[in-house]
Amino acid sequence: MPARKHIRLSVNLNKVALLRNARHTNVPNVLNFADIALEAGSTGITLHPRPDERHVRRSDVTLIAKRMRPLRPHKELNIEGYPDSEWIKLVSKVKPEQCTLVPDAASAFTSEKGWDLTASQMTHLKGVMKKLRTFKTRVILFVDPGFSAFEKARTLGADGVEIYTGEYARLFTLGKHAAEIKKITSTARRARELGFDVHIGHDLNLKNIPPLIKETSAYVSEASIGHELTADALRLGFSQTVRAYAKALNPNTPIPEEGGYDKNPLHQFKKWFAETGTETQPNAMILATATKKALPSARIVFLRNQDTRGFTFFTNYKSRKSRELSENPNAALVFYWPTVARQVRVTGAISRVSKKESAAYFSTRPRESQLSAWASEQSFPLKNPESLEEAMHLLRKKFDGKKIPLPPHWGGYRLTPRECEFWQQGDSGRLHKRMLYTKRGASWKQEWLAP
Ligand SMILES: Cc1cc2nc3c(=O)[nH]c(=O)nc-3n(C[C@H](O)[C@H](O)[C@H](O)COP(=O)(O)O)c2cc1C
């Protein structure tokens, strides 16, 4: 059996939207539930806009895509749906990390039948794939357990399959699910052998996930769950429920390291970041700075972007950290992810990102956060907290109905790493592994450190 890997949970918000649609008050607010799900450890959000908009609406899709922008692609947006021209128009606009194609008729009550890849479906899907390939997205085909037309799926250029688990869930309630688990497992195994991503979804819940995961965890990389999770959330609370589902999918965290470490620590970081699983704020990092006399100070900031250039965060350019950085551009970062028993330490030089990059990020922030960036003279003495409310009130008036521009004193910094250390707790809390990367010209030296 291949090594176990982390199974991503993509929370489907359709049923939260269904409840919202029962009134004209925007309660519950689907955007807030996306925030809660992501904070509680969901690695993505699934939205399935149906033509009649009885669950999420097309406008929800664009709003959630925008809200998730700073977190993507670490946190993924998955848009499900029957690929008609309206749906394709929508996904082409928001460019989700993943598209899950279902063969539902517009009138379908729910998605309970996968693609058979008949000749007419193939003709349709070939055209669809051509359009989806104009932007980068993972394409998943919804299929039934027992699906075998993998060659056709390959011809289409699909990246993976989502195996329908509704029948398994039905049989589970009758205690007659053993054969269905076997069927799902052999389909999942075959798909993996052929290099397809394997997802599962439909009516999965805290009771029926464990026996299915026990057999399929080596093959499955993602579960998309909505209805049962939302029903459980009525009892347990949304955040608590998302955590419970993420844990049910990954009962054995911490995750063992799979394969070797990447040669580049920035790629290794991406990999570990994607495996933070149920961590509530994996992008919260300690930033340590020092004055020119080497007097240190530290605080938490959010990582907003990470690529091969380094680690980016945003702040006030007149704050204490910024003053220290202008005197001494060396800094250190620490990430701590207790649920997977990992720590990452980074040191390096810091420089400001371009105004354009700061403005692009600033425009994705909620309006109130944009206003507070204008209102707060970060790190300076304040008469009292109420005076900030007054400033906010005046700014709300000033910018009423207008786009809020990037404040001149606000923007991003990028830390270009010189050293990165990846720390993984050992079994029973002993013999931790420490991998240190040190920059040597254009490449990286790698060495183990004693714990
Ligand atoms: C979880 C968390 C995330 C934070 N993220 C940021 C951030 O991204 N940018 C920021 O300027 N401050 C952030 N803060 C506030 C900082 O910790 C700090 O109070 C502020 O930046 C002022 O620090 P300074 O006086 O050392 O400059 C965050 C605080 C917490 C607890």
Side-chain angles (χ1 to χ4, degrees):
M1 193 120 133
R4 193 190 174 81
K5 51 185 171 35
H6 192 76
I7 299 178
R8 300 190 301 265
L9 166 65
S10 187
V11 171
N12 183 321
L13 292 176
N14 267 40
K15 296 301 156 67
V16 175
L18 179 72
L19 185 58
R20 185 265 325 265
N21 294 352
R23 283 282 185 279
H24 298 294
T25 53
N26 196 27
V27 173
N29 183 326
V30 183
L31 269 183
N32 291 348
F33 279 79
D35 291 344
I36 298 170
L38 293 168
E39 282 192 17
S42 169
T43 45
I45 295 292
T46 293
L47 303 172
H48 187 148
R50 293 184 182 273
D52 61 5
E53 301 205 307
R54 66 182 186 271
H55 308 130
V56 290
R57 301 173 182 142
R58 283 181 283 280
S59 55
D60 291 324
V61 174
T62 33
L63 282 174
I64 290 178
K66 189 168 174 214
R67 178 71 142 241
M68 286 176 68
R69 202 179 296 153
L71 301 175
R72 293 165 57 192
H74 296 311
K75 301 275 185 180
E76 297 193 344
L77 181 60
N78 174 35
I79 309 293
E80 267 181 21
Y82 177 74
D84 60 13
S85 55
E86 275 298 306
W87 187 89
I88 291 173
K89 208 161 102 193
L90 182 65
V91 295
S92 304
K93 193 167 133 202
V94 300
K95 301 182 177 47
E97 283 65 42
Q98 185 167 290
C99 289
T100 302
L101 310 185
V102 297
D104 293 353
S107 59
F109 178 59
T110 181
S111 304
E112 49 195 1
K113 173 84 192 82
W115 297 98
D116 297 317
L117 301 186
T118 57
S120 67
Q121 286 183 346
M122 285 297 281
T123 311
H124 174 202
L125 288 176
K126 271 180 195 152
V128 169
M129 291 301 287
K130 209 166 153 193
K131 289 181 189 139
L132 296 184
R133 286 298 174 223
T134 58
F135 59 96
K136 213 171 132 199
T137 188
R138 192 185 303 121
V139 181
I140 306 294
L141 299 176
F142 188 62
V143 301
D144 296 324
F147 174 83
S148 59
F150 288 109
E151 274 319 308
K152 289 187 183 168
R154 197 195 298 285
T155 312
L156 285 173
D159 299 287
V161 291
E162 175 175 329
I163 304 175
Y164 170 66
T165 50
E167 180 62 5
Y168 160 69
R170 191 185 71 78
L171 292 168
F172 182 86
T173 59
L174 306 172
K176 296 181 177 164
H177 51 283
E180 189 71 5
I181 288 194
K182 275 198 182 138
K183 204 166 161 187
I184 294 173
T185 308
S186 69
T187 311
R189 185 188 304 116
R190 185 80 191 119
R192 266 317 295 144
E193 280 166 4
L194 294 169
F196 289 97
D197 275 352
V198 179
H199 299 184
I200 47 176
H202 217 94
D203 294 342
L204 291 174
N205 62 33
L206 294 172
K207 290 200 178 105
N208 64 30
I209 287 174
L212 182 63
I213 285 301
K214 191 160 170 256
E215 298 305 318
T216 59
S217 66
Y219 316 116
V220 170
S221 55
E222 180 168 313
S224 136
I225 307 182
H227 182 85
E228 293 275 339
L229 185 152
T230 312
D232 280 338
L234 295 174
R235 275 184 308 121
L236 302 172
F238 204 74
S239 178
Q240 194 63 20
T241 306
V242 171
R243 274 174 232 273
Y245 273 77
K247 183 76 187 157
L249 292 169
N250 298 283
N252 295 333
T253 49
I255 312 145
E257 183 59 35
E258 275 180 59
Y261 284 70
D262 198 286
K263 281 197 173 65
N264 185 328
L266 291 152
H267 294 158
Q268 182 62 33
F269 182 86
K270 254 200 171 29
K271 192 166 161 232
W272 272 27
F273 196 86
E275 292 171 352
T276 48
T278 56
E279 209 58 69
T280 49
Q281 293 184 324
N283 64 330
M285 56 188 187
I286 295 169
L287 162 73
T289 54
T291 61
K292 65 170 177 271
K293 289 190 175 159
L295 291 170
S297 71
R299 77 290 290 149
I300 293 180
V301 291
F302 280 128
L303 174 72
R304 294 301 184 187
N305 188 26
Q306 186 257 324
D307 55 26
T308 48
R309 294 169 300 174
F311 299 81
T312 305
F313 61 90
F314 292 86
T315 192
N316 187 307
Y317 284 149
K318 293 182 177 167
S319 64
R320 174 172 175 179
K321 69 181 93 49
S322 301
R323 272 179 268 146
E324 293 184 0
L325 286 170
S326 64
E327 292 176 16
N328 176 354
N330 296 295
L333 304 174
V334 182
F335 294 86
Y336 176 44
W337 300 315
T339 57
V340 287
R342 283 174 171 172
Q343 171 187 229
V344 179
R345 299 166 63 185
V346 186
T347 60
I350 285 208
S351 52
R352 290 188 185 189
V353 304
S354 69
K355 251 208 168 85
K356 197 171 154 209
E357 195 173 335
S358 294
Y361 170 69
F362 188 76
S363 72
T364 68
R365 286 170 65 89
R367 212 172 154 79
E368 284 292 293
S369 309
Q370 293 181 335
L371 289 173
S372 65
W374 276 98
S376 169
E377 296 188 321
Q378 195 178 51
S379 315
F380 282 86
L382 185 65
K383 203 165 74 187
N384 54 46
E386 293 71 43
S387 58
L388 207 52
E389 257 314 314
E390 282 164 32
M392 287 287 280
H393 178 69
L394 293 176
L395 285 160
R396 269 185 214 110
K397 269 190 165 163
K398 179 175 170 188
F399 290 120
D400 187 30
K402 295 189 197 132
K403 186 171 173 262
I404 304 173
L406 173 73
H409 57 266
W410 199 95
Y413 283 103
R414 180 174 295 110
L415 184 143
T416 308
R418 266 193 301 266
E419 265 184 351
C420 295
E421 184 201 312
F422 292 80
W423 183 98
Q424 168 80 64
Q425 186 175 304
D427 285 343
S428 328
R430 294 179 311 122
L431 297 181
H432 318 306
K433 280 202 239 165
R434 298 176 63 188
M435 168 59 76
L436 177 69
Y437 292 77
T438 314
K439 190 98 206 212
R440 290 276 183 269
S443 58
W444 291 91
K445 178 183 160 206
Q446 270 175 267
E447 62 195 331
W448 293 109
L449 297 182

